[in-house]
Amino acid sequence: MLDALATAPGHPAVETEAVAGGGRVITGGQLLTMIGTIEAGYREAGLGPGSGIVLDVGVTAEALAAWLAGYALGCRVTGLPSGYSAAQRDHVLAHSGSLVTAERIAELLRGPAADPVVDARPEDVARVAWTSGSTGRPKGCMQTYAALSAHWSWGADWSPATAELAKNFGRFLLFGTLASAIVQDYLALCLLSGGTAVIPALPGPADGPLFPAVFPALRATATIMHIPRLYQTLDSLRQQSFDLSTVGAIMAAGSPLPPHRLAEAYEVLGPVVYTSYGQTETGGLTLHTPADIAAGVLDSVGRPLPGIDVDIRDGEVLVRTPQQMSGYLGEPELTAEVLVDGWIRTRDLGLLQGGYLYLTGRARDIIIVDALPVYAGPIEQVLAASADVDQAYVIGAPDDRRGEAVHAFVVPKAGRTPDHTALRTAVRAAIGDLSVPETITELAEVPVAISGKPDKSALRDLLRS
């Protein structure tokens, strides 16, 4: 990363608080000086290789420099995700080390200018990416410097598919949180390919949503967005047209897209829609490209990326990658459950067919009905196949009569009213009586966890209320 910035020191690396007409530009050379100056400040404060730091910062050029300074110094770097409860924040802070805030970064940048020096050691932990905490206490996934260097986007040896994707990242729209590993990974794709990270000035309450107007306003060429934001973008484009001619790649991440929605996204946005499957524990595992969509492959999560080994054991997807976590921070027993003989148990159910990976459910989404296991994933697929249903999510809840009962939540398609009886009949016909939902609740939109994935804990809260 440092070499890439030094290769073109005059090239805009970051454009921050960007609005139509421009923003503050930080060149590669200026960003390098910021990184070196902050790193020197870290070192002066007694930090060094193996030290833990946690960044509680927004998305700014200064915050980016603080992250990269931590990596250059060889620290164990983590970010404090937004949206955590007080207890979850306390848990992360207790396991992370020295706190770095925007105020602390500004103080460090007032020190003598310096060039970055790389002290990182391959065997040390580079970053700790925290899970969403949707099941309670978040888990810290540790990734070493060796793993980060072998990562599909951070590594020096890109596959042809990665290199082709990187061509679209000339002006990468950067927003959300730098604490997200997936945000960092696509940011790396941008900066390593000589692109510019464009940080938009966020709209006020009276300005309307950021998307899709931000694309033509900032001439953005690529971004990542979670599925609910993609839906909002598609809905806006139905009501008003925008010039999206600059856009080369929109990576839809967080959860798989139902086939009908993937086809719609391709139809509305054009051949720029990518999807990917991965986990915090593994990083990105697959890539599903516009060419795959054009070929009619709509129900797969894509082909495994180069260097990713995928094995299906008893229906469960296991993966082995050079970039995977070395374990959960401070959780040896949980690590032993998930990391088995060098393989990561994804807890997802799936199959490999024709070079593509297909997900069929989640091993963790098991509902025990009448003492028999029922999987949420297949039920969701049947419900989402209805002409009246846009999205479907299924959870289990305690039931005095059956042990647990199946409960479904659906987001209707615009102007459609799902027939609950017909939905239950479809489930019964496809996968049997045990899988038929006890209740079906209609929602205008699904609650979303900080990871961008549907928040099933919030759905359980809705059920209890």
Side-chain angles (χ1 to χ4, degrees), residues 145 215 244 331 340 383:
Y145 279 94
F215 288 120
L244 303 185
E331 303 266 13
V340 180
L383 295 173

Side-chain angles (χ1 to χ4, degrees), residues 277-441:
Y277 163 66
Q279 298 183 337
T280 309
E281 290 85 347
T282 65
L285 296 170
T286 68
L287 184 65
H288 193 261
T289 69
D292 296 323
I293 303 172
V297 182
L298 300 176
D299 51 351
S300 166
V301 292
R303 298 179 184 272
L305 287 159
I308 308 295
D309 295 325
V310 178
D311 193 17
I312 310 297
R313 302 181 188 174
D314 297 326
E316 182 181 355
V317 181
L318 277 75
V319 298
R320 182 174 57 190
T321 87
Q323 68 208 36
Q324 68 192 28
M325 72 169 187
S326 55
Y328 294 115
L329 180 64
E331 303 266 13
E333 293 183 1
L334 188 58
T335 297
E337 290 179 18
V338 174
L339 189 55
V340 180
D341 297 328
W343 292 81
I344 296 283
R345 294 185 60 195
T346 67
R347 312 294 179 92
D348 285 330
L349 305 176
L351 56 92
L352 281 169
Q353 193 171 67
Y356 290 95
L357 177 63
Y358 296 82
L359 298 183
T360 58
R362 298 183 68 83
R364 287 171 289 186
D365 282 354
I366 297 176
I367 306 162
I368 306 300
V369 181
D370 292 342
L372 295 172
V374 169
Y375 294 100
I379 306 172
E380 292 172 343
Q381 291 172 4
V382 173
L383 295 173
S386 166
D388 298 320
V389 173
D390 186 48
Q391 305 167 54
Y393 305 96
V394 168
I395 63 170
D399 183 84
D400 291 339
R401 184 170 57 92
R402 312 189 74 177
E404 285 188 302
V406 176
H407 298 273
F409 295 81
V410 299
V411 178
K413 288 184 179 177
R416 309 294 285 265
T417 302
D419 182 329
H420 293 195
T421 299
L423 292 178
R424 289 189 174 94
T425 299
V427 171
R428 181 177 291 108
I431 45 182
D433 287 335
L434 288 179
S435 298
V436 175
E438 190 81 12
T439 64
I440 298 177
T441 303

